[in-house]
Amino acid sequence: MSGKLTIAIDGPAASGKGTLARRLAAHYGLRHLDTGLTYRGVARALIEAGQPLDDEAIAERAARALDLGALDRAVLSEHGIGEAASKVAVMPNVRRALVDKQRAFASAPPGAVLDGRDIGTVVCPDADVKLYVIASAEVRATRRWREIEAGGGSAAYTEILADIERRDARDMGRADSPLRPADDAHLLDTSEMDIETAFLAACRLVDATRISGNED
């Protein structure tokens, strides 16, 4: 691959966008950033420092000091951190600070794959390729349930489905950077796809878009 390539991937929870983003980054030799972890990183920094989660000025300082290269997925995936992250993620100044960092990450050579909920619309509106990954709520709930069971945990499918539907409503209905596909995003429905099939479909979209762009 020559030149810089930016791939923006958006989609609802458990649509498979994170796994897909990591596969694409490895395939094209790009860096990867799960932007959801940046909000979790801010929340964890506040918790560790004993700072309140409802002070926007303090949260903004934590966001601007966050090292995107030190985000530990295993640590940041803890449920408590996720709950705290949902509180700081609604703060406009925190969002602006993290978007600045996310854009800087995307602009550095050789490029990057970013996944989240507002990448193609807000963070990287000029991304070379934009994918909007979806799957039915029932399929996503089943995936999450199987993931939890495979990890030795236990969960009720109905509760997972209800949680996913609540998150969808919250993400799509929020006033600041709502979840929606960019006008020029490629829709990828993974409801009937395993990860390998979804990966190959995404590669075809990326390659076709790059070829089309080179011909313009």
Side-chain angles (χ1 to χ4, degrees):
M1 187 194 76
S2 60
K4 187 171 77 67
L5 176 65
T6 303
I7 301 175
I9 303 181
D10 292 301
S15 60
K17 66 181 182 295
T19 302
L20 188 59
R22 291 190 291 274
R23 288 285 302 271
L24 289 173
H27 179 71
Y28 290 104
L30 304 171
R31 292 166 300 117
H32 169 247
L33 178 63
D34 174 351
T35 59
L37 291 183
T38 64
Y39 294 94
R40 287 173 173 262
V42 172
R44 180 170 183 257
L46 294 174
I47 292 171
E48 288 194 331
Q51 299 285 2
L53 296 172
D54 58 355
D55 189 313
E56 187 166 1
I58 292 176
E60 180 187 0
R61 286 196 294 272
R64 296 198 178 279
L66 186 68
D67 179 3
L68 299 192
L71 300 175
D72 187 329
R73 175 179 300 277
V75 173
L76 296 178
S77 293
E78 294 177 4
H79 180 73
I81 292 177
E83 290 294 312
S86 68
K87 297 178 181 179
V88 300
V90 299
M91 299 176 178
N93 289 340
V94 171
R95 297 193 70 86
R96 280 192 285 271
L98 290 180
V99 166
D100 286 345
K101 283 183 170 289
Q102 292 160 9
R103 285 175 175 163
F105 183 94
S107 67
V113 181
L114 282 76
D115 70 89
R117 288 172 173 74
D118 60 353
I119 310 304
T121 54
V122 175
V123 180
C124 298
D126 297 323
D128 300 289
V129 184
K130 300 176 187 177
L131 303 177
Y132 191 78
V133 184
I134 63 169
S136 70
E138 292 77 14
V139 166
R140 288 183 283 135
T142 299
R143 289 173 180 170
R144 184 60 57 81
W145 176 77
R146 287 175 177 168
E147 183 180 280
I148 293 172
E149 292 283 316
S154 61
Y157 168 82
T158 54
E159 292 180 2
I160 296 173
L161 177 59
D163 181 61
I164 282 177
E165 291 175 337
R166 282 194 298 271
R167 289 185 65 178
D168 286 353
R170 182 176 68 238
D171 290 340
M172 294 176 185
R174 69 190 182 202
D176 188 4
S177 304
L179 170 64
R180 64 176 180 82
D183 292 338
D184 54 348
H186 298 281
L187 183 66
L188 183 59
D189 189 337
T190 67
S191 297
E192 304 298 326
M193 298 180 183
D194 59 22
I195 183 57
E196 188 64 24
T197 304
F199 168 67
L200 293 175
C203 286
R204 286 193 293 271
L205 290 171
V206 172
D207 293 341
T209 303
R210 295 175 70 202
I211 291 171
S212 174
N214 290 335
E215 290 175 348
D216 290 343

